[in-house]
Amino acid sequence: MGAINGKDYIKRLNQLNNEIWYDGEKIEGLLSEHPAFKGLIQSKAALYDLQHDPKIKDEMTFISPVSGELIGLSYLQPKTKEDLLRRRKMSEHWARYSGGIMGRSPDYLNTVLMSFASSVSLLKNKDKCFPNNLHAFYELARENDLSFTHTFISPQVNRSYIYIENSDEPIAAKVIDKNEEGIIIKGARLLATQGGLTDEVLVFSVGKFLFNEDEAFAFSIPSNTKGIKFICRDTFIGGQSSFNHPLSSRFEEMDSIVVFDNVLVPWNRVFYYNNAEIAEEFPIQSSFHPFAKHQVLTRQIVKTEFVLGIAELLIETINISGYQHIQEKMSEIIIGLETMKALLEKSENNAKLDEWGYMRPELFPLQVAGNIFPKIYPRFTEIIQLIGASGMITLPTEKAFHSIIRNDLDLYLQGSTKTAEERVKIFRLAWDLTMSSFGTRQTQYERYFFGDPIRLSSDLYIKYPKNEFVDAISKFLNLKKEE
């Protein structure tokens, strides 16, 4: 099929008839017309249309090694540094459409699947592992431009170190049986962003499984597979007006619980199962982290540019650039932006071929960025709130500008360089990013994008090469080396 366009995506999604529950009711009818999903689906369709934009098509697609057709560049397995830069450019195009707001634009999970397939040799000759299935599925997804949601974590019933699930019915999804057709999964998984709004559900177990090996598996199945249902949270769309809710009306990425009710996963879709060692090591030893973090950092840089643009527009609108405390706050955003850009370039400049011939960006700069952004993004949102001050609260609606009080609004809400209507549009954008329910979800989302920030810091400390620095100090002090 090759790289799809927006119409292809919407048509395919509507035909799936996935089981999605929203506000206690099962969704019926065309999913693309449902008010909780319509804005996002249209935005996602626009992303797929970019693959066919004559101006950038060459930067969004590449020629399939199988069919000779143009396919999505997000599936490209990079073999040179030039390939890495092409992948970055592609991600930038998709990220700029939403200002980096869409954390689950198609390139993220396409990249994840590509990274797993690039490391498939790790599964060879391992118990209950099927490397050929993973490679074949990657090719199927690449050639048909499949879309994905994913779920990597179990429900938060009890997060203590010693918790062992002991219930009559499985809570965390696990393998409860197998037969000649495949494995049977029962239980639930979190946190499927865009759950039910994609072709496939990519399921990988992450963590240690000393006492629960039946939770250690990896597979992908169609979202409309019998027994799967998606239970949505409440919507964060404030309304359909792009004036009143410029971000949530277009980019609200619904999150959902995925429930597996005796779901049969065919053997040709199983990548591994009931193997605790592989489930723990494969995501770490594979190229998952280098490639996924490369895509994420690219998006976060675009998002920071978006934040910087909003903040500066606020400043210009109410003419406060002369205050030093404003200049200091803006410098914080600039420093964050340039730091992340430098880390991204360092990871690309130091990229090396892995043992299977794929060009991996250097991981440590990406890990550093992954530790920085969860800390600085909440500060960025606070800076916008502080710059906007009370102006972030006194915001009339689009309808008010089409009423008899228009003259009052034009007089009292005008900016130094903008009309009242323009000023309110700017401030409503800042509010939607930082103070609405949609905006606060964005902040929480970035805080925990790759998991617990403390765990990320510990992982960086443990794995970062420190010996050469210790040796230098020991030499400076003329200390004896320990045997």
Side-chain angles (χ1 to χ4, degrees):
M1 184 173 185
I4 63 172
N5 59 31
K7 288 183 179 179
D8 295 330
Y9 164 68
I10 293 175
K11 180 180 178 181
R12 202 156 68 184
L13 184 60
N14 283 331
Q15 290 175 339
L16 285 172
N17 194 30
N18 297 329
E19 183 177 348
I20 304 173
W21 289 78
Y22 172 75
D23 197 23
E25 295 181 356
K26 183 180 177 182
I27 292 178
E28 305 289 352
L30 294 178
L31 188 59
S32 62
E33 297 301 318
H34 192 283
F37 311 113
K38 184 176 181 179
L40 174 67
I41 291 172
Q42 290 177 342
S43 295
K44 198 167 178 181
L47 294 183
Y48 283 116
D49 282 338
L50 289 178
Q51 295 187 134
H52 300 272
D53 185 332
K55 295 180 181 178
I56 59 172
K57 183 168 66 173
D58 291 344
E59 297 177 346
M60 299 299 297
T61 58
F62 73 109
I63 297 175
S64 166
V66 175
S67 68
E69 295 185 32
L70 289 177
I71 55 178
L73 192 65
S74 54
Y75 283 106
L76 176 69
Q77 295 173 296
K79 296 184 177 180
T80 64
K81 290 185 179 181
E82 289 73 21
D83 285 344
L84 272 183
L85 296 179
R86 289 178 68 195
R87 289 189 55 84
R88 189 224 286 190
K89 191 70 175 178
M90 169 272 303
S91 289
E92 285 176 349
H93 283 310
W94 267 348
R96 288 210 165 89
Y97 178 80
S98 69
I101 300 298
M102 290 178 64
R104 290 294 185 266
S105 53
D107 50 321
Y108 175 66
L109 284 171
N110 295 355
T111 296
V112 169
L113 180 59
M114 178 278 293
S115 70
F116 287 145
S118 299
S119 309
V120 73
S121 293
L122 290 170
L123 303 181
K124 288 183 177 179
N125 302 317
K126 298 295 177 64
D127 185 44
K128 300 183 180 70
C129 293
F130 309 95
N132 292 338
N133 289 352
L134 177 52
H135 186 265
F137 180 70
Y138 158 71
E139 289 195 337
L140 176 72
R142 182 189 67 193
E143 298 303 314
N144 292 277
D145 211 358
L146 297 181
S147 60
F148 292 89
T149 186
H150 80 302
T151 171
F152 285 3
I153 60 176
S154 297
Q156 294 182 337
V157 175
N158 186 327
R159 300 186 67 193
S160 69
Y161 283 115
I162 60 173
Y163 172 67
I164 301 175
E165 184 178 305
N166 183 21
S167 61
D168 294 335
E169 289 288 319
I171 298 174
K174 59 189 63 177
V175 179
I176 62 168
D177 199 1
K178 64 178 180 177
N179 56 37
E180 66 278 2
E181 296 181 68
I183 59 175
I184 310 298
I185 304 291
K186 187 173 179 59
R189 293 290 291 269
L190 307 177
L191 174 69
T193 301
Q194 296 190 25
L197 308 181
T198 63
D199 297 305
E200 293 272 333
V201 185
L202 185 64
V203 183
F204 270 77
S205 300
V206 176
K208 296 183 178 182
F209 302 91
L210 296 177
F211 305 106
N212 50 346
E213 198 165 45
D214 52 4
E215 296 178 29
F217 46 72
F219 59 84
S220 186
I221 50 176
S223 296
N224 62 355
T225 299
K226 182 180 178 181
I228 290 184
K229 60 175 171 277
F230 301 90
I231 302 176
C232 300
R233 59 162 167 78
D234 192 9
T235 183
F236 295 148
I237 298 175
Q240 300 302 314
S241 167
S242 60
F243 180 103
N244 295 337
H245 309 281
L247 298 177
S248 71
S249 64
R250 300 172 62 199
F251 306 123
E252 152 71 323
E253 296 181 282
M254 178 62 72
D255 304 297
S256 66
I257 303 167
V258 187
V259 177
F260 299 86
D261 187 6
N262 295 307
V263 172
L264 171 66
V265 181
W267 284 119
N268 69 341
R269 290 302 199 95
V270 178
F271 309 143
Y272 53 81
Y273 77 103
N274 286 29
N275 190 322
E277 182 180 358
I278 286 294
E280 180 181 350
E281 294 180 356
F282 184 67
I284 297 171
Q285 296 179 359
S286 71
S287 55
F288 164 64
H289 283 285
F291 287 132
K293 290 178 186 293
H294 182 262
Q295 184 277 337
V296 171
L297 180 52
T298 299
R299 177 189 61 81
Q300 290 173 336
I301 287 171
V302 171
K303 192 171 189 177
T304 305
E305 294 172 343
F306 190 69
V307 168
L308 181 62
I310 293 174
E312 180 62 22
L313 197 53
L314 288 174
I315 290 167
E316 293 175 1
T317 299
I318 54 178
N319 193 21
I320 56 173
S321 63
Y323 294 106
Q324 284 190 320
H325 77 91
I326 295 294
Q327 295 166 6
E328 182 203 23
K329 290 178 174 64
M330 290 298 288
S331 292
E332 285 189 57
I333 303 176
I334 293 169
I335 291 167
L337 173 61
E338 290 299 318
T339 298
M340 292 190 296
K341 287 165 66 175
L343 289 167
L344 181 62
E345 289 196 14
K346 184 175 188 290
S347 76
E348 293 170 345
N349 291 338
N350 292 355
K352 294 180 180 178
L353 290 174
D354 65 17
E355 58 192 294
W356 303 294
Y358 299 111
M359 185 62 69
R360 290 193 193 188
E362 185 183 18
L363 183 57
F364 287 122
L366 299 173
Q367 285 185 297
V368 170
N371 275 271
I372 290 175
F373 197 71
K375 297 179 176 66
I376 61 176
Y377 183 77
R379 173 57 178 163
F380 292 164
T381 64
E382 182 186 34
I383 287 172
I384 287 179
Q385 293 168 357
L386 294 173
I387 290 173
S390 62
M392 301 286 284
I393 299 172
T394 51
L395 296 172
T397 63
E398 180 180 23
K399 188 176 180 180
F401 280 96
H402 297 280
S403 69
I404 61 174
I405 62 170
R406 172 69 186 253
N407 289 339
D408 290 330
L409 300 180
D410 286 343
L411 178 61
Y412 300 125
L413 292 180
Q414 63 182 295
S416 175
T417 62
K418 297 288 187 292
T419 66
E421 187 171 355
E422 291 171 336
R423 177 187 176 277
V424 170
K425 286 181 72 173
I426 294 165
F427 273 76
R428 289 202 73 100
L429 175 61
W431 167 83
D432 208 14
L433 180 64
T434 66
M435 294 177 65
S436 68
S437 58
F438 173 86
T440 52
R441 184 265 185 192
Q442 285 282 316
T443 301
Q444 193 75 344
Y445 184 75
E446 298 295 1
R447 278 195 179 111
Y448 291 96
F449 191 96
F450 269 115
D452 179 6
I454 302 301
R455 180 179 58 78
L456 295 178
S457 298
S458 297
D459 188 56
L460 177 61
Y461 167 72
I462 291 169
K463 294 180 180 178
Y464 193 82
K466 303 174 286 291
N467 289 343
E468 63 177 296
F469 309 118
V470 173
D471 290 344
I473 299 303
S474 297
K475 185 177 181 181
F476 178 81
L477 295 174
N478 198 26
L479 300 178
K480 292 182 179 180
K481 285 189 177 182
E482 294 185 11
E483 297 296 333

